[in-house]
Amino acid sequence: MEKSTLPRHVGLIMDGNGRWAKKRLRPRSFGHSAGMNAMIEVAKRAKELGIEYLTVYALSTENLINRPKDELEELFNLLRKYFSKHVKQLYKAGARVRVIGDRTPLPEDVKKLLDDGEKNSPDGAAFTLVFAINYGSRSEILNAVNLLRGSDDKADEAAFASKLYTDGLPDPDLIIRTGGEVRLSNFLLWQAAYAELYFTPVLFPDFTPAEFDKALEEYAKRNRRYGGL
Ligand code: FPP
């Protein structure tokens, strides 16, 4: 794939783990675990192709409020596993992790693993895997508004963007959602202003690198005009 038609930053809404597990008469946690494996493979593919940032929606603020306690605990366990074990492969490949979202209500040990995951990332990496955890765009935007309220200066786009969790990240060029729903669900609303959107019915655990390539091929065909002709 040519570099010029490759997105620099891809956002990924990983939906469909629960349905994938249900089809196999297995608990939802089985689907999340398979989802984590799918995510690891897609991240490898993204890095190999030269994509610079992949942001994965691992837990929304709404998930944290509405999912049963035991399912949340399973998701935290996956985070524990990823950030204590798998992340090392990423470092070895010279890549970084970053976490966006409100970490305050997360279990203390998970918070520490996320903090360490960022701190221990190698410098100047060509690929960053960004985890959106307890992330919600509306609260991110409100938080930015509150941070700017003390200033008398009129906020411009750059000043506003610098108060978002994504400060320093380029806007996503492509957002992919698996699992058949056709909505953004409070994911990167400000940042996705000009993103191309790609929706697929494939349930996330079945979203292989080959499925990811399909999304990239579709992106390469689209003509991005940013409001011009
Ligand atoms: C939505 O599927 C998915 C989630 C709420 C969690 C996504 C998390 C992963 C793929 C694991 C990621 C990796 C780590 C390290 C946490 P759903 O359960 O809503 O699926 P459904 O719509 O079929 O019920």
Side-chain angles (χ1 to χ4, degrees):
M1 197 164 293
E2 277 186 46
K3 186 90 187 164
S4 63
T5 54
L6 200 65
R8 199 175 161 208
H9 182 179
V10 178
L12 182 57
I13 304 175
M14 309 182 287
D15 198 11
N17 297 339
R19 278 165 286 161
W20 184 89
K22 196 172 175 194
K23 279 213 254 177
R24 287 161 179 77
L25 308 175
R26 299 294 298 266
R28 296 176 60 80
S29 57
F30 182 68
H32 292 317
S33 177
M36 183 173 86
N37 294 335
M39 183 206 78
I40 290 171
E41 294 309 312
V42 169
K44 269 193 213 154
R45 180 74 182 138
K47 181 181 181 295
E48 179 186 294
L49 287 170
I51 289 168
E52 291 173 62
Y53 301 90
L54 176 69
T55 298
V56 294
Y57 208 0
L59 189 73
S60 68
T61 44
E62 292 74 21
N63 291 153
L64 195 66
I65 297 165
N66 298 324
R67 295 276 163 130
K69 251 199 152 103
D70 57 341
E71 184 172 347
L72 287 174
E73 197 46 45
E74 297 287 356
L75 285 167
F76 292 143
N77 279 339
L78 285 180
L79 286 173
R80 289 181 177 106
K81 192 165 159 191
Y82 186 88
F83 279 85
S84 58
K85 186 177 146 209
H86 297 288
V87 75
K88 290 179 190 146
Q89 290 301 116
L90 204 70
Y91 296 160
K92 227 189 250 167
R96 303 177 61 84
V97 283
R98 171 146 172 202
V99 180
I100 59 172
D102 176 14
R103 294 179 219 191
T104 332
L106 302 179
E108 285 306 320
D109 70 310
V110 172
K111 266 193 256 187
K112 172 139 180 35
L113 281 171
L114 303 182
D115 291 347
D116 289 349
E118 289 185 310
K119 261 189 247 145
N120 298 332
S121 286
D123 289 331
F127 177 70
T128 304
L129 179 58
V130 184
F131 283 86
I133 298 172
N134 191 26
Y135 174 85
S137 257
R138 287 190 173 181
S139 70
E140 177 187 39
I141 289 169
L142 275 178
N143 184 52
V145 169
N146 286 323
L147 290 172
L148 287 166
R149 260 154 65 127
S151 163
D152 290 334
D153 299 337
K154 249 190 166 172
D156 57 18
E157 286 192 12
F160 187 78
S162 76
K163 303 296 181 202
L164 298 173
Y165 293 128
T166 47
D167 179 31
L169 301 177
D171 284 344
D173 305 292
L174 169 66
I175 293 194
I176 299 172
R177 181 175 189 144
T178 66
E181 310 288 359
V182 184
R183 54 176 173 261
L184 287 177
S185 298
N186 209 9
F187 185 54
L188 302 177
L189 298 183
W190 166 278
Q191 298 86 339
Y194 290 101
E196 296 292 334
L197 307 179
Y198 178 88
F199 299 97
T200 169
V202 172
L203 303 175
F204 189 65
D206 292 330
F207 191 71
T208 55
E211 289 292 338
F212 183 57
D213 286 355
K214 275 197 219 165
L216 298 175
E217 278 156 25
E218 166 72 24
Y219 172 83
K221 282 191 232 148
R222 296 202 193 160
N223 177 9
R224 304 183 79 200
R225 292 193 297 276
Y226 298 98
L229 293 175

